[in-house]
Amino acid sequence: MMKNEEKKLNIYKIMRVLHRDIGFLTIGLTLVYVLSGVLLIYRNTDFMKMEKTEEKQLAASLSGSEVAQQLRIRNFKVEREEGAVIYFKEGHYNGDTGMPVITRKVYIPPFDKLVNLHKVTGAHSLSVLSLIYGCMLFFLAFSSLFMFRFGSRKSKRGIVMIIISIVLTVVIVAFV
């Protein structure tokens, strides 16, 4: 027969159950974010990328700054101009025809979707997923404080580990 205290749902039991279940839900999202994060570490290489060429009709006789504005290429810089042709890092623009040819390195499918998920901003439709994932991670961190009764030896050790991780993070961010 169980004691009356053991039958009651206390905060520690509730938090352990929620921590376990939310933890299992979070595993899939974490694996996706880990994979896309690893790909982003090597974004300045050609790892898992292919070349993609695109053409897009623009108005004829545009200046370099107008081409940059129309194509929305980050860090656009005119390398040289030969007649009506403007050359830039990603390709060229023919001022006579108004046709730019842009060649970029893009991630191969389905890795392109994973990387885009990792780069989601507030305006993106998937930003809700990132927000939910962030909240789930916050809850897992917070609920881990309830794995052991406050004041116990294990609880005190956990708080020390939290302090160490915060100090390490501040030191790494400050000096790297």
Side-chain angles (χ1 to χ4, degrees), residues 19-34:
H19 183 90
R20 180 196 63 213
D21 293 346
I22 291 174
F24 286 138
L25 286 173
T26 307
I27 289 172
L29 287 168
T30 301
L31 293 174
V32 168
Y33 273 92
V34 165

Side-chain angles (χ1 to χ4, degrees), residues 12-164:
Y12 295 99
K13 287 181 183 178
I14 293 169
M15 290 303 251
R16 279 195 293 271
V17 168
L18 288 173
H19 183 90
R20 180 196 63 213
D21 293 346
I22 291 174
F24 286 138
L25 286 173
T26 307
I27 289 172
L29 287 168
T30 301
L31 293 174
V32 168
Y33 273 92
V34 165
L35 185 57
S36 65
V38 168
L39 287 174
L40 284 171
I41 291 170
Y42 299 101
R43 66 182 161 267
N44 59 345
T45 70
D46 291 342
F47 179 64
M48 302 295 268
K49 291 183 180 177
M50 64 181 187
E51 213 169 77
K52 180 181 177 185
T53 302
E54 59 184 272
E55 296 180 14
K56 178 180 178 181
Q57 185 63 51
L58 301 178
S61 303
L62 295 176
S63 68
S65 61
E66 291 170 324
V67 171
Q69 186 179 15
Q70 293 286 316
L71 296 178
R72 298 180 185 156
I73 295 176
R74 191 181 331 175
N75 300 324
F76 182 91
K77 182 180 174 187
V78 174
E79 292 180 347
R80 70 183 190 279
E81 292 185 37
E82 292 178 8
V85 180
I86 299 173
Y87 291 91
F88 48 94
K89 182 180 176 184
E90 294 86 359
H92 64 274
Y93 163 77
N94 186 328
D96 291 336
T97 63
M99 186 67 71
V101 176
I102 305 156
T103 304
R104 296 182 178 149
K105 299 278 185 171
V106 296
Y107 288 99
I108 60 173
F111 299 107
D112 56 342
K113 302 282 187 200
L114 292 178
V115 169
N116 289 338
L117 177 64
H118 206 96
K119 295 178 177 181
V120 165
T121 61
H124 197 281
S125 61
L126 288 175
S127 65
V128 172
L129 179 63
S130 294
L131 177 64
I132 291 169
Y133 179 58
C135 291
M136 290 168 71
L137 288 176
F138 178 80
F139 176 79
L140 289 174
F142 178 74
S143 65
S144 68
L145 296 172
F146 292 88
M147 295 298 109
F148 306 102
R149 295 219 179 262
F150 289 113
S152 71
R153 189 171 159 199
K154 290 181 180 179
S155 175
K156 288 177 184 175
R157 184 173 190 271
I159 291 172
V160 168
M161 298 301 283
I162 291 168
I163 292 168
I164 289 170

